[in-house]
């Protein structure tokens, strides 16, 4: 499995889990929070399903960027309502813990989104320009340093590996025949 594909799968899975857990609180986030995250995840599945498409990664970048803005607005608008419903009046401990867990997962999801945008941009660069996927500093991590160039030559290369010396090559000019 190549690194951009693995990074993309990790991003989609982590945001899937955090989005699901962020919607668990009763009366906390509106349905538009769910719809935007479904859009982000569908673009992510598209990017995973069509590994040569740079457009899918761009669409995921756009929807993820919009979801950052939307999460900031929704947390600012709806967190006080969730607090009023769950913390300021008597509710069961289960409902209070569910609200706090959903709030924490929503905030964690929002915190991880800029990191995901950076990684998605690197995936986009790798897909659009056919260059190698690199993350600065990753070459120092054992096992994640990427492909090392060895002594192998490119099969597509038209240059011979040894320079031509200009000396003619002798070929066998006689044929041996066997008769019975």
């Amino acid at each position: 499995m190549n690194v951009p594909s693995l990074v993309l799968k990790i991003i989609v899975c982590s945001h899937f889990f955090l989005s699901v857990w962020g919607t668990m609180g009763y009366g906390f986030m509106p349905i538009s929070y769910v719809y935007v995250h479904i859009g982000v995840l569908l673009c992510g599945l598209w990017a995973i399903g069509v590994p040569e498409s740079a457009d899918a990664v761009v669409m995921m970048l756009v929807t993820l960027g919009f979801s950052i803005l939307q999460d900031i607005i929704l947390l600012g608008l709806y967190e006080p309502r969730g607090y009023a419903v769950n913390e300021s009046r008597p509710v069961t401990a289960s409902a209070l813990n569910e609200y706090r867990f959903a709030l924490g997962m929503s905030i964690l999801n929002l915190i991880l989104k800029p990191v995901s945008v950076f990684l998605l941009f690197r995936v986009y660069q790798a897909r659009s320009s056919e260059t190698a996927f690199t993350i600065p500093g990753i070459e120092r991590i054992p096992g994640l340093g990427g492909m090392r160039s060895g002594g192998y030559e490119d099969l597509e290369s038209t240059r011979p590996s040894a320079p031509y010396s200009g000396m003619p090559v002798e070929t066998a000019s006689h044929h041996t025949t066997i008769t019975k």
Side-chain angles (χ1 to χ4, degrees), residues 89-154:
R89 60 185 193 158
V91 294
T92 64
S94 171
L96 183 61
N97 290 336
E98 187 177 295
Y99 159 73
R100 289 179 180 169
F101 180 76
L103 177 62
M105 294 300 109
S106 298
I107 292 171
L108 182 61
N109 197 5
L110 179 60
I111 290 171
L112 288 179
K113 284 181 182 180
V115 175
S116 297
V117 166
F118 170 74
L119 293 173
L120 280 173
F121 183 71
R122 302 300 272 185
V123 169
Y124 167 73
Q125 284 179 331
R127 284 190 182 184
S128 65
S129 64
E130 298 297 324
T131 58
F133 178 84
T134 58
I135 299 173
I138 200 160
E139 65 273 354
R140 292 188 295 265
I141 300 173
L144 295 178
M147 297 291 291
R148 303 270 195 274
S149 60
Y152 299 106
E153 105 181 27
D154 185 16

Side-chain angles (χ1 to χ4, degrees), residues 25-46:
Y26 172 73
F28 172 51
M29 289 299 236
I31 196 69
S32 63
Y33 180 84
V34 175
Y35 290 149
V36 167
H37 286 92
I38 287 173
V40 170
L41 296 172
L42 286 176
C43 289
L45 291 175
W46 176 27

